Each structure stands twice: as structure tokens, then as C-alpha cells.
Amino acid sequence: MSPNETFSIKDLINQAGGEQEIQYGTDEARLRIDLRIDDIGIWKAYHKKHPGNQNLLLACERNSGKLSDTNLTWVVGAAIRSAVAEGTSGARDLLKNLGVSEQLVDLASEHCPELGGTAVWAFHLERHGWLTATPVEW
């Protein structure tokens, strides 16, 4: 699928097939879209327990204070925070403010359909620096 074509989360699920994940980028800057049913279920359960108008769920270092005063981190031991981003540019700015590199933000904005829009996406960094995105609601 060319970058100019509109695609959806269902297209990602079909593309992933049995692997249940898709990876984009290089070893230095890699986006992993996690489409495992169990992982989506975990994020959905959190989303249902914390209803609101958020379109991003973020694994952060700290649960208190301003969101801008923390960084994105890996899931284990993370404080899950929710946020609302206005459009792709708002989501890009938020991810950058949470310490995500420009390269990873570019990959997320290119490959996560409806980022900052109607879809709810969950993000965390993996220990080796990859960014993982999981669609929660679409």
C-alpha cells in the first residue's frame, strides 16, 4: 500500500495476519504495531475503567503532575496516563514532549491510522528503544 493511500486499522490487522504485529523503520528507529488480541484487550480494559474523551493511552514514568513533566517508558511498572490529541500534529507534539524521537514520531504519524482522531491508540517504548503502538478502539 502506497503512503498516499488511506488505510485503516482493519487493513493493518489483515496485513499482519498470523504474526499479529507489523514493524516499520530501522533498528535505530523502529515502530512496532501490536495487534495481539490479548494486548489489545489489556489496553481496552484500562480504557473502559477510565472512560473519557481521550484518544491516547500512554505508558509514562510518573502518574502524577503534568503530563509534560514525564516521559514515555516501557509498560512494566509504568503509570498509564490518558490524553487527548487534536489531530495528527497534536499527537506528534505530545509524543515528542514525552521524549519520543522525531524518527519514531514520523513513523507513528505515517503508520497509525486516525492518530489524534477518532481511534484510540496506546503507546509505550520498549527497553531497546522501539516505539510500540496498539490500537485500542477504532
Side-chain angles (χ1 to χ4, degrees):
M1 187 170 293
S2 78
N4 294 332
E5 291 182 67
T6 302
F7 65 103
S8 69
I9 292 170
K10 288 183 181 185
D11 293 327
L12 291 176
I13 291 169
N14 290 335
Q15 182 183 346
E19 295 295 315
Q20 297 182 331
E21 78 172 42
I22 303 171
Q23 294 183 16
Y24 299 100
T26 64
D27 284 338
E28 294 81 37
R30 184 167 298 267
L31 170 69
R32 184 174 75 91
I33 298 181
D34 181 1
L35 300 163
R36 290 178 177 83
I37 299 300
D38 291 345
D39 294 342
I40 292 171
I42 291 168
W43 287 107
K44 276 187 180 216
Y46 177 87
H47 185 60
K48 284 180 183 177
K49 286 182 183 177
H50 302 88
N53 192 27
Q54 67 269 7
N55 56 8
L56 294 174
L57 301 176
L58 308 159
C60 295
E61 292 175 338
R62 290 185 298 281
N63 196 26
S64 60
K66 290 192 251 179
L67 188 57
S68 60
D69 292 338
T70 190
N71 286 310
L72 204 65
T73 189
W74 53 84
V75 172
V76 177
I80 306 302
R81 310 273 302 257
S82 58
V84 175
E86 296 291 328
T88 303
S89 64
R92 288 178 57 85
D93 291 344
L94 181 59
L95 290 170
K96 282 191 258 183
N97 287 337
L98 293 172
V100 179
S101 74
E102 183 82 31
Q103 292 170 314
L104 289 172
V105 169
D106 288 345
L107 288 169
S109 65
E110 182 179 345
H111 297 289
C112 296
E114 286 296 312
L115 178 63
T118 57
V120 177
W121 282 92
F123 287 96
H124 72 274
L125 285 177
E126 297 188 17
R127 291 182 188 183
H128 44 68
W130 293 2
L131 179 64
T132 295
T134 305
V136 180
E137 299 284 338
W138 59 90

